[in-house]
Amino acid sequence: EIWSRVHEGQGERAAAIQRPASFWTAESQWDNNWCITRNDGSGGDDKGELCVLLTGVTGFIGPHLLDAVARCGRWTHIVALVRPPLDRVDLSLLPSHVRVDLVPSDIGRPSLGLSSLTWARLSEMNFDAVLHNAALVNHIRSYDQMKAHNVIACDDLVRLVSSSVVPPSFLFVSTVSAVVPGASEDLASTPAEAVASLGGGYGQTKWVAERRLDGAAREGLLRQLCICRLGLIGPHSKDGKIANHRDW
């Protein structure tokens, strides 16, 4: 099947690459079809702690991101959505004054895999910021196969925090695979006509997610949006440790 996709241009991945620009333009539109009821408070939880919602705390960069967030000095309460088992996350070296709640989640399932009770509880919190690092990274699967993890999950995160009394900031970890070579650090320099040239479903899902989040920000659902496009993850700059030895 892989051989036929590469050499004969057949299969679902090839079909996705050949989709017209109009398809990608439609996919990238933010759909704001729900009612928003703002909570009380100002970016804190029920204990008055400034709170941040974090995803993707395992994997190559997740542990470093969790440590940086815990030590930055801004937030004293971290809610981390984690795909079970939760004991994969080591909290022992984090500052003791920062409270970390690990919440079982699955970004590939509807509503982030959260139970209705957990969704209701989190939606009643006032998040100061969202740092969305979780993603399905795969350079063979098609756009349709990865859309739930990498696009719909972004929509659901915005829905989850949309009740915050002050719209939260949103940092989205994207990829250089979402832009064409030589593109500027903006959205306009990789238009819908260029999405087919991105080559695979991973970059295409990130391209769509970036623009949906931008639409949510323009609707006032996010206080500000920051997109960080990562390339290949290398060794740690201080201790030289390598996240994935197979990449080197």
Side-chain angles (χ1 to χ4, degrees):
E1 181 182 1
I2 295 177
W3 188 95
S4 66
R5 290 181 181 183
V6 174
H7 295 280
E8 298 178 8
Q10 298 177 358
E12 184 178 3
R13 182 169 181 262
I17 293 176
Q18 296 170 3
R19 282 168 168 162
S22 58
F23 171 84
W24 299 113
T25 299
E27 283 290 286
S28 65
Q29 301 304 305
W30 173 253
D31 183 12
N32 189 8
N33 286 326
W34 69 86
C35 297
I36 299 174
T37 302
R38 298 292 184 189
N39 298 327
D40 296 327
S42 57
D45 59 12
D46 57 354
K47 296 184 179 180
E49 298 172 317
L50 202 60
C51 190
V52 58
L53 180 64
L54 184 59
T55 74
V57 299
T58 59
F60 298 158
I61 65 174
H64 304 291
L65 182 60
L66 175 60
D67 183 74
V69 170
R71 296 182 188 279
C72 76
R74 178 174 178 83
W75 300 290
T76 53
H77 185 190
I78 299 172
V79 176
L81 304 185
V82 182
R83 182 167 54 86
L86 302 186
D87 58 9
R88 296 186 298 152
V89 183
D90 183 6
L91 305 179
S92 62
L93 299 179
L94 299 181
S96 58
H97 70 279
V98 177
R99 182 161 62 101
V100 181
D101 289 334
L102 302 180
V103 180
S105 175
D106 184 343
I107 62 170
R109 298 178 58 192
S111 300
L112 304 168
L114 302 174
S115 68
S116 57
L117 291 177
T118 300
W119 180 281
R121 176 173 64 86
L122 294 180
S123 66
E124 291 175 355
M125 298 178 61
N126 292 305
F127 289 101
D128 176 60
V130 179
L131 279 67
H132 182 32
N133 176 57
L136 175 60
V137 181
N138 188 295
H139 297 290
I140 295 178
R141 294 189 182 185
S142 70
Y143 172 81
D144 294 318
Q145 291 171 324
M146 306 177 76
K147 179 178 178 180
H149 294 80
N150 296 350
V151 178
I152 303 301
C154 290
D155 297 349
D156 287 342
L157 278 170
V158 175
R159 286 199 303 122
L160 182 63
V161 301
S162 63
S163 296
S164 296
V165 63
V166 176
S169 299
F170 199 110
L171 186 148
F172 179 51
V173 179
S174 188
T175 172
V176 293
S177 298
V179 295
V180 295
S184 302
E185 294 184 358
D186 57 20
L187 299 182
S189 59
T190 303
E193 290 76 11
V195 177
S197 67
L198 299 180
Y202 177 59
Q204 292 166 346
T205 57
K206 290 292 191 175
W207 184 93
V208 170
E210 287 183 4
R211 284 150 184 79
R212 287 199 184 188
L213 289 173
D214 181 64
R218 293 176 183 275
E219 290 286 338
L221 298 176
L222 305 175
R223 185 166 72 250
Q224 60 183 10
L225 172 65
C226 177
I227 297 172
C228 298
R229 296 176 180 143
L230 303 185
L232 187 65
I233 306 301
H236 194 284
S237 60
K238 293 183 179 179
D239 58 29
K241 292 182 179 180
I242 301 175
N244 186 359
H245 292 270
R246 293 175 300 175
D247 286 346
W248 301 92

